[in-house]
Amino acid sequence: MSVFTKIYSAPEFNKSEILRYAGTKEASEQTSELLESCLNECSGVFSYKVCFAEEKLIINGGTISMGSIKTDSKALLKNLDGCERAVIFASTVGLGIDRLIFKYSSVSPSRALMFQAIGAERIEALCDMFSAEICEKYAAEGLYITPRFSPGYGDFSVDAQKDFFGLLDCPRKIGLSLNESLIMTPTKSVTAVIGISEKAQKKSNSCEACTLDGCAYKKRK
Amino acid sequence: MDIRDYLKENILFLDGGMGTLLQEKGLKPGELPEMWNMSHSDIIRDIHKAYFDAGANVVNTNTFGANPFKFDDALLKEIIRNAVKNARAAADMSENTGEKFVALDIGPTGKMLKPYGDLDFEDAVRAFAKVVRIGEKSGVDLIFIETMNDCLETKAALLAAKENCGLPVFVSNAYGEDGKLMTGASPEAMTAMLEGMGADAIGMNCSLGPDSLAPVVERMLAVSSVPVILKPNAGLPKSVNGKTVYDVLPVDFAESVLKLIKSGVRIAGGCCGTTPEYIKALKNITAGLKPKEISYKNLSCVSSYTHTVYFGKSPVLIGERINPTGKKRFKEALKNNEINYILGEGINQQEKGVHILDVNVGLPEIDEAETLVKTVTELQAVTNLPLQIDTSDTLAMEKALRRYNGKAMVNSVNGKKESMEKIFPLIKKYGGFVVALTLDENGIPQSAEGRLAIAEKILKTAESCGIAKKDIIFDPLAMAVSADKNAAAATLEAVRLITERLGANTVLGVSNISFGLPERDAINSCFFTAALENGLSAAIMNPYSERMLASYYSFRALHGLDENFTDYINFMQSTAEKKPDGSAEKTELTLCRAIEKGFKEDAGSITKELLKSEEPLDIVNTHIIPALDTVGKGFEEKRIYLPQLLMSAEAAQSAFGVIKEKMSSDGGKVKCDFVIATVHGDIHDIGKNIVKLLLENYGFNVTDLGKDVPPEVIEKKVIELHAPLVGLSALMTTTVPAMEKTIKLLKKSAPWCKTAVGGAVLTKEYASSIGADFYGRDAMETVRYAEKINACLEERNYDKFTR
C-alpha cells in the first residue's frame, strides 16, 4: 500500500470554536479584539497537510492489525466494529503556529492562549475537511465511515504513535516528527484511524467516539 | 578522481529513487529499507547497477535512515559497510565507462531539534558524526546530505561531516510548494548558511516535480557561487486502479530538468518515483551539452532560519538594545536570569522595523558563554531576525556561532594580530559576516587614512585565511564628538574611503557619536544621515528613537530606494496614529480600570504619571491589588473568562514593571519563593506561564525552570532556595509519571516543600494518587493555595522557616 500526501487550502475559521478552546463562553469586547488581532497576525502561517494510507483491517481475537499498526485497544475495536478496511492518516497545520505560541508564551500569555486556541481549531477543521472527503469518496461506493479515532482516545495507547509514524513516513511526507515522549512536532497535528464499513454509523463526531472522562473540551450537543 | 575536479568540466549525473523500487520488490510499509543492505544485498546492488548503467556518475548508498536513533552501533556499522559494499560492487559491475562515485547518503533523523522538538543540537551533530566516520572508513567518495527539511538539522549534519572527514560534502534540502523548507528557510537563506560553512555543492531534492521546483532552482542559481544540485520527484503519486503512479513521465521529466541544466544546474538526478529510465532519458537529452559556468556572486549577507539580509543595497538597521552597557534594568535582568525581559527587547525592536538584532550579554558577574548561547537560542525561538553575536570572549563567540541557526553577523575582529588569529578561523569554520574594527596594537588612528590602512591590513589577512571581502564589514569607529570636535569628520571620511577605495561594506555604532551631549537623538540622526551619504551600509542604532527611524526612511525615499514612498508613508502614518489602546475613554481612565480592561500600555503610562505624586507601594496597594482582586473574583465567579483574566494580568505586570524600574533593588515586600516547571518530557508550557504570571502579580517570588525539566533540576533548585512551594505542570498522560517521580524525589529530599500540580490530564483524585499536596483546577486556585501557605509561613516567621 502506498502513502499519499495532500495539501489543502485553508478551511473557514470558526470563531466561536476558537473562543471555546480559549476557555471563553462570552467574549468581552477586549477578548474579541484580542481574537481579531491574533487572527490578523497568523494569516499565512498555516500549511494544511495530510498523509494517509488505506489498510486492510485484520482482527484476531482482541488484536487489531492495520498494516504495521497493531493494538489491543477495546475502544478502537468497538469503534471499528464491522469494518474491513481503514484509512490511517496524519495531519498537521505546520510549525508556524508553534512559533507564534512560543513567541508569546514568554511575553504575552493571553496571546499565546489565543494562538493555542486558533491552532486547535485549525487542526480540527483540517481533520473535518479530510474526513468529509473520505466520507464522500467511500459513499460513492456505497460505504460508510466511522468517526476518526486517535491514539490517546480511551485505551488506545499513545505508544501506537510509533507505528503510525513507521507506516506513514510522516517526517518526509508532511514534516511531522515524533519525540521521545511521543509528542508530535508541530504540536498542532493529529494522527487517527477512520474505519470503512458497509453499515451506516451512529456516532457522528470523534468526541462521541472518545471515552475519556471529564475532558474540558468535549463538544456538547 | 576527486568529484570536485570532475565537476569543474562536467555536468554530474546522480541516481534516482530507491524507496519506490524497493516497494515494488516487496518492501512493506513500516519495514526498514536499510536492513535490505544485508537481507537483499543482490536487489540493492542491482538497483545501484541499473542507475550506473543508465548513466549516473554517482549513486547514493541505501542509508537514508541509517542513524543511531534507529539502529544500535553494531547494526549501524554493519548497515553502512554493507551499503557501501553493494554500491561499490555495482560500480565495478556496471558497463558504464564514465566516472563513477559512491556517495554516503545521509537523510534527516526524523526528529525535530530543540526548541520545537526534543533533539539537542550537539546530540544531532554526534549522531551524524558517527554515520560520517563509519562511511569514510567504508570507503565512500563523498558525503551526500539530502532531503533535509530543517535549517538547523542541516547545519548539524554539515558540521558533523566537516569535523569528521575530509571528503567532499553535498547538501540538498526539501523545499515545499511555498518555496521554503518545512521550518521556513528560503533558498537564499540556505545558500548563505551552507556556502558559508563550506559545502561543496548545494541544492534541492524530493517533495515536488521538476517544474514545480523550477522557481526554487532559479532563485538558488541567482545567489549560489557553488554548483547547484537538482534531484526532483517524478511529480506527485496518484492511485490508479489500486496502483501507485507518479504523474511525470521520463521524457517530460528529462525535458524539464534539461531546461534547468541550461539555466545553470550542474548536478542532476531524481528522487521519489524516478527510476533508471528517468536517468537514462535525462542522460540522452543532455548528450553533448556543455555545462554552464558558475559565476562568483559576491553577495554580502547574513541569514536566519527563514531569510537573508543583504548588505550594500539599502541601508541595514541593527538594533542595539540587547546590551547591558549603561542599562541598569538590563543588567539586573541578566543577573537574575530574566530571559523574558531580554526576549521582549528582541520582539519590541523587531516591531520597530530593525533588520538584525545585536546580542551582547557581557557582564563580569555572569558566565558569558552560557548566557550568550542561551540568549541566542531563545531569541531564535521568538524572532526570525538574523542576529549579530557581539562579544569579546572568543569562547562565547564560538559556542554561539555553533548553535546559531543560519549565517550570523559577528562583532568583532580588529587589526590586532591576536584578534585576527583567533576570530578568522571561527568565521571560516562556521560561516559568518564579521565586523572588523579599524584599530590595532597602536590604537585607533585619528586620521581617516590611518583607519583605511588598518582596513587594508585586515582584508589581506582575511583573504589569506580564506575569508572573502564580501564577508567582512568595516567599522571605522564613531567616537564622542564632545571629546574631539574633529571625531565625526574623521569617521565620515573613513566610511567614504573604505567604501570607495576598498569597495567594502561599512557599519557604525552611531549612538557613540553623541556621548556626553544633551538630546542625543538630534546629533545621532544627523550623523547617521551624513554617514549614509558617505556610503555607510549598516548602522547599529536605537530603534526606539523616532528621529533615527525618520532619518532612515527619509534617506531611502530620497535615494530612490523606496518604491512609491510606501515605507516612508507607512512609517509616518504609524507614528502619527500612535495612540494608547483605551484612547476613547482615556480622560477618565484610572489604573484600576486599565488593569480590569487589560490595557497593557495604558496601565504602564498611568503608573508612570501616578509615580509623580504617589509612593510606589501605595500604588500597588490602593490601585493594582484591588483591580487584580476584582478580576480574580470575576474569574472565580465565572463572570470573566481566561483570556480576559490574562489580559488584565499582563496590564498589571506592565504597571509592576514601571514600579520596579523606579524602586531600589530591594523592591519592597515579597511573598515566599515558588518554584515552577513543566515536567520532564513535556514541552507544553502555556498553562505554566499563566500560573507564573498570576503568581507574580500577587507578589510571589517565582523561579521559572522552564519546560521539559528533569526531576533532579527541580530538586536542586527547591533545596537551594529552601522553597516552600513548587508548582508542576503536565499536559500529557505520558508525562504524568515524570510528575510523580519529581514529587517522590521532593518528598524525600525537601520534605518541607508543598507540591501543587495542574494540567489538562489531571484530576483531583489523580493528583492525590501521585502524592501531590494540591491540585489546581485553574491558575486562580493555585494562587489562592499559595496565598494560604504564605500566610501560614508569615505567622510562623518566614525567616526562621527558610534559613
Side-chain angles (χ1 to χ4, degrees):
Chain A
M1 273 301 136
S2 295
V3 180
F4 298 98
T5 307
K6 283 202 80 165
I7 299 167
Y8 289 88
S9 48
E12 232 172 274
F13 284 85
N14 182 339
K15 290 182 191 171
S16 62
E17 272 294 273
I18 296 172
L19 288 170
R20 186 174 75 85
Y21 284 120
T24 301
K25 279 204 184 113
E26 276 165 84
S28 64
E29 196 189 326
Q30 290 77 37
T31 305
S32 300
E33 274 169 22
L34 176 68
L35 171 60
E36 290 305 324
S37 138
C38 289
L39 284 175
N40 269 336
E41 189 170 351
C42 69
S43 81
V45 313
F46 296 101
S47 74
Y48 305 87
K49 289 180 185 167
V50 179
C51 62
F52 62 99
E54 192 197 295
E55 291 287 345
K56 239 194 215 145
L57 209 63
I58 301 164
I59 297 166
N60 196 344
T63 306
I64 313 165
S65 307
M66 303 164 282
S68 51
I69 301 174
K70 272 195 180 62
T71 170
D72 296 330
S73 164
K74 290 189 182 71
L76 179 61
L77 190 64
K78 199 174 152 202
N79 187 251
L80 294 176
D81 183 35
C83 298
E84 285 177 7
R85 285 180 291 166
V87 171
I88 323 287
F89 76 93
S91 57
T92 182
V93 295
L95 195 66
I97 189 73
D98 284 342
R99 291 200 192 281
L100 285 170
I101 295 170
F102 234 86
K103 173 175 170 182
Y104 286 106
S105 66
S106 56
V107 291
S108 171
S110 65
R111 286 187 91 78
L113 175 80
M114 201 50 90
F115 283 123
Q116 172 85 12
I118 293 172
E121 185 271 346
R122 290 290 77 197
I123 185 65
E124 283 300 312
L126 173 63
C127 289
D128 288 345
M129 193 153 69
F130 176 72
S131 300
E133 212 178 270
I134 293 293
C135 182
E136 207 172 300
K137 183 184 160 200
Y138 288 97
E141 301 172 29
L143 300 168
Y144 301 91
I145 65 163
T146 64
R148 57 177 181 271
F149 205 92
S150 294
Y153 282 17
D155 65 347
F156 189 19
S157 163
V158 281
D159 284 327
Q161 290 286 42
K162 287 183 200 151
D163 292 339
F164 273 77
F165 274 70
L167 181 75
L168 295 172
D169 195 10
C170 304
R172 187 161 185 168
K173 299 286 181 192
I174 58 171
L176 179 60
S177 61
L178 189 67
N179 79 13
E180 292 297 315
S181 328
L182 304 173
I183 297 173
M184 293 184 281
T185 312
T187 57
K188 297 305 169 203
S189 303
V190 161
T191 56
V193 182
I194 299 173
I196 302 158
S197 168
E198 288 181 355
K199 286 186 290 182
Q201 296 294 311
K202 275 176 261 162
K203 287 168 184 165
S204 60
N205 70 48
S206 49
C207 271
E208 285 176 53
C210 179
T211 53
L212 186 69
D213 283 336
C215 172
Y217 299 101
K218 191 151 187 145
K219 283 180 193 150
R220 316 276 171 218
K221 271 197 168 170
Chain B
M1 185 178 206
D2 188 308
I3 198 162
R4 286 167 290 203
D5 293 328
Y6 183 81
L7 253 175
K8 282 181 191 152
E9 309 289 334
N10 301 283
I11 299 165
L12 187 73
F13 292 93
L14 307 172
D15 59 2
M18 172 65 86
T20 21
L21 295 179
L22 293 182
Q23 277 165 26
E24 275 174 28
K25 300 277 180 191
L27 181 83
K28 294 192 185 72
E31 194 182 348
L32 298 166
E34 293 76 22
M35 295 304 289
W36 279 39
N37 287 312
M38 287 84 82
S39 62
H40 299 74
S41 60
D42 49 340
I43 292 178
I44 302 295
R45 191 195 56 214
D46 289 350
I47 292 173
H48 287 324
K49 178 175 174 295
Y51 277 121
F52 277 133
D53 288 347
N57 303 106
V58 183
V59 303
N60 279 359
T61 54
N62 177 33
T63 50
F64 183 81
N67 64 56
F69 301 109
K70 290 193 185 130
F71 304 100
D72 65 35
D73 283 8
L75 194 52
L76 189 65
K77 237 180 226 171
E78 197 188 348
I79 287 169
I80 296 172
R81 275 187 196 152
N82 280 287
V84 176
K85 213 163 87 186
N86 294 335
R88 279 278 169 234
D92 292 343
M93 288 160 65
S94 168
E95 60 219 33
N96 176 351
T97 54
E99 285 291 332
K100 294 192 283 278
F101 303 93
V102 170
L104 175 70
D105 189 52
I106 297 182
T109 58
K111 290 167 163 290
M112 183 71 81
L113 271 79
K114 284 177 185 172
Y116 296 102
D118 64 345
L119 179 57
D120 183 75
F121 179 78
E122 291 300 340
D123 287 339
V125 174
R126 271 190 287 276
F128 288 122
K130 210 175 247 179
V131 176
V132 166
R133 283 195 297 265
I134 303 170
E136 190 188 32
K137 260 197 198 143
S138 307
V140 295
D141 302 309
L142 69 146
I143 310 291
F144 204 120
I145 298 162
E146 61 145 325
T147 328
M148 291 281 170
N149 55 25
D150 175 52
C151 181
L152 192 58
E153 187 177 7
T154 314
K155 175 169 180 170
L158 178 53
L159 198 57
K162 284 273 168 193
E163 285 182 337
N164 291 282
C165 77
L167 297 170
V169 190
F170 289 9
V171 184
S172 171
N173 289 100
Y175 292 90
E177 69 294 338
D178 55 356
K180 294 175 193 165
L181 301 191
M182 222 65 99
T183 52
S186 68
E188 292 83 6
M190 290 312 294
T191 305
M193 183 184 84
L194 297 172
E195 248 190 47
M197 291 177 67
D200 295 292
I202 61 174
M204 64 223 67
N205 72 294
C206 208
S207 40
L208 302 167
D211 288 340
S212 315
L213 271 178
V216 182
V217 177
E218 297 289 357
R219 282 171 66 182
M220 190 171 271
L221 286 169
V223 294
S224 172
S225 303
V226 298
V228 169
I229 307 162
L230 171 63
K231 210 173 180 293
N233 287 349
L236 291 169
K238 287 195 171 124
S239 179
V240 179
N241 300 327
K243 267 190 147 181
T244 309
V245 189
Y246 281 82
D247 66 0
V248 180
L249 298 172
V251 187
D252 305 323
F253 179 88
E255 270 179 16
S256 299
V257 176
L258 171 68
K259 273 187 226 151
L260 295 165
I261 290 177
K262 283 181 177 162
S263 294
V265 166
R266 293 293 296 268
I267 304 169
C271 202
C272 304
T274 61
T275 62
E277 232 186 303
Y278 285 76
I279 303 304
K280 199 168 179 184
L282 180 58
K283 185 82 185 173
N284 287 341
I285 206 168
T286 52
L289 187 70
K290 283 248 154 45
K292 192 176 170 194
E293 197 141 327
I294 301 162
S295 62
Y296 180 64
K297 303 301 185 296
N298 199 23
L299 294 167
S300 294
C301 67
V302 294
S303 72
S304 67
Y305 56 88
T306 56
H307 68 281
T308 316
V309 171
Y310 291 102
F311 290 76
K313 290 168 191 157
S314 178
V316 172
L317 300 181
I318 304 165
E320 67 178 13
R321 303 298 299 176
I322 301 180
N323 190 325
T325 313
K327 300 188 195 85
K328 199 177 117 199
R329 178 70 186 92
F330 198 96
K331 280 182 191 160
E332 198 187 313
L334 272 180
K335 275 186 239 164
N336 299 339
N337 227 341
E338 290 173 68
I339 190 79
N340 286 355
Y341 180 83
I342 301 171
L343 299 182
E345 284 287 348
I347 292 169
N348 292 341
Q349 291 185 88
Q350 178 166 25
E351 276 165 12
K352 293 289 177 193
V354 299
H355 309 106
I356 295 170
L357 297 174
D358 180 68
V359 184
N360 183 323
V361 293
L363 260 195
E365 304 94 307
I366 61 164
D367 179 342
E368 189 176 345
E370 192 191 315
T371 311
L372 186 61
V373 171
K374 187 173 173 204
T375 308
V376 163
T377 46
E378 297 253 2
L379 268 171
Q380 288 206 292
V382 302
T383 164
N384 66 352
L385 291 184
L387 304 180
Q388 168 166 272
I389 294 165
D390 183 358
T391 175
S392 51
D393 177 340
T394 335
L395 180 76
M397 186 186 283
E398 169 155 26
K399 284 191 165 168
L401 264 176
R402 199 176 165 86
R403 283 296 180 99
Y404 179 78
N405 193 354
K407 177 181 179 179
M409 187 156 178
V410 181
N411 193 353
S412 61
V413 68
N414 61 53
K416 290 180 189 163
K417 195 161 168 274
E418 191 197 351
S419 166
M420 292 192 282
E421 278 172 358
K422 274 188 184 159
I423 308 293
F424 283 146
L426 298 182
I427 304 299
K428 179 74 189 155
K429 178 173 179 185
Y430 296 104
F433 180 64
V434 64
V435 176
L437 310 180
T438 57
L439 61 87
D440 64 8
E441 287 83 355
N442 302 316
I444 305 168
Q446 268 197 328
S447 72
E449 263 82 10
R451 295 183 205 178
L452 174 70
I454 294 179
E456 282 170 332
K457 177 175 81 178
I458 293 172
L459 206 53
K460 230 171 120 187
T461 314
E463 275 164 359
S464 73
C465 297
I467 295 163
K469 186 168 75 186
K470 74 176 176 72
D471 284 326
I472 297 182
I473 182 164
F474 290 101
D475 182 347
L477 300 160
M479 318 255 272
V481 74
S482 58
D484 171 9
K485 68 177 169 41
N486 298 318
T491 304
L492 292 172
E493 174 71 357
V495 168
R496 193 178 62 78
L497 288 179
I498 292 168
T499 309
E500 285 175 1
R501 296 215 195 139
L502 298 185
N505 286 298
T506 49
V507 61
L508 285 173
V510 186
S511 313
N512 294 338
I513 205 77
S514 60
F515 193 78
L517 291 175
E519 296 299 322
R520 294 182 63 180
D521 268 5
I523 294 263
N524 288 348
S525 57
C526 181
F527 177 68
F528 180 36
T529 308
L532 288 172
E533 285 298 345
N534 279 282
L536 189 75
S537 334
I540 304 172
M541 46 77 76
N542 176 10
Y544 302 150
S545 156
E546 269 176 25
R547 276 178 111 144
M548 284 295 288
L549 291 177
S551 297
Y552 165 76
Y553 287 107
S554 305
F555 178 86
R556 288 181 73 245
L558 292 168
H559 286 259
L561 295 167
D562 186 1
E563 193 78 30
N564 300 326
F565 303 94
T566 318
D567 296 341
Y568 177 81
I569 292 167
N570 284 345
F571 169 72
M572 286 307 168
Q573 277 174 350
S574 75
T575 53
E577 277 169 12
K578 212 176 58 188
K579 285 178 234 145
D581 21 24
S583 56
E585 40 189 319
K586 177 90 194 173
T587 41
E588 306 111 85
L589 196 62
T590 61
L591 181 54
C592 277
R593 187 148 176 79
I595 291 173
E596 284 170 34
K597 288 273 167 191
F599 297 146
K600 217 170 175 174
E601 281 175 33
D602 289 331
S605 57
I606 296 173
T607 308
K608 235 176 235 165
E609 278 302 308
L610 282 176
L611 275 171
K612 289 178 186 161
S613 55
E614 292 185 37
E615 284 300 309
L617 275 177
D618 290 340
I619 297 175
V620 173
N621 290 329
T622 59
H623 300 272
I624 303 180
I625 299 280
L628 278 173
D629 275 342
T630 308
V631 178
K633 273 213 187 82
F635 179 75
E636 283 161 334
E637 289 163 8
K638 300 203 167 51
R639 282 183 286 109
I640 285 174
Y641 298 101
L642 189 56
Q644 185 63 54
L645 174 74
L646 292 180
M647 283 190 280
S648 294
E650 284 164 27
Q653 199 184 34
S654 144
F656 279 126
V658 172
I659 288 174
K660 206 169 172 184
E661 256 169 53
K662 172 92 180 188
M663 291 205 292
S664 54
S665 56
D666 53 71
K669 202 170 143 212
V670 178
K671 290 180 188 151
C672 67
D673 274 304
F674 193 113
V675 175
I676 194 165
T678 300
V679 299
H680 197 38
D682 212 323
I683 54 163
H684 299 85
D685 70 347
I686 291 189
K688 181 214 71 192
N689 287 341
I690 289 172
V691 176
K692 175 190 167 191
L693 172 68
L694 289 173
L695 284 168
E696 281 178 342
N697 271 186
Y698 280 84
F700 287 90
N701 196 18
V702 183
T703 302
D704 179 8
L705 297 176
K707 56 196 158 193
D708 190 11
V709 188
E712 298 75 26
V713 175
I714 300 171
E715 180 196 26
K716 198 177 148 215
K717 199 63 183 183
V718 168
I719 293 174
E720 183 193 316
L721 297 171
H722 200 84
L725 271 163
V726 67
L728 304 172
S729 150
L731 213 89
M732 305 268 301
T733 42
T734 43
T735 54
V736 175
M739 182 180 265
E740 188 173 6
K741 199 175 155 196
T742 310
I743 294 172
K744 280 213 173 105
L745 198 64
L746 287 173
K747 289 280 166 228
K748 219 168 94 190
S749 52
W752 65 84
C753 180
K754 298 278 182 204
T755 50
V757 300
V761 294
L762 291 171
T763 58
K764 199 169 178 179
E765 295 71 36
Y766 201 176
S768 68
S769 79
I770 59 171
D773 296 304
F774 176 76
Y775 162 72
R777 200 171 48 86
D778 58 44
M780 278 311 294
E781 282 195 8
T782 306
V783 169
R784 298 296 183 216
Y785 177 68
E787 286 196 311
K788 229 163 65 187
I789 299 290
N790 186 64
C792 295
L793 287 171
E794 277 173 357
E795 280 163 24
R796 277 196 268 152
N797 191 333
Y798 183 43
D799 278 345
K800 264 185 201 157
F801 183 84
T802 49
R803 300 290 164 214

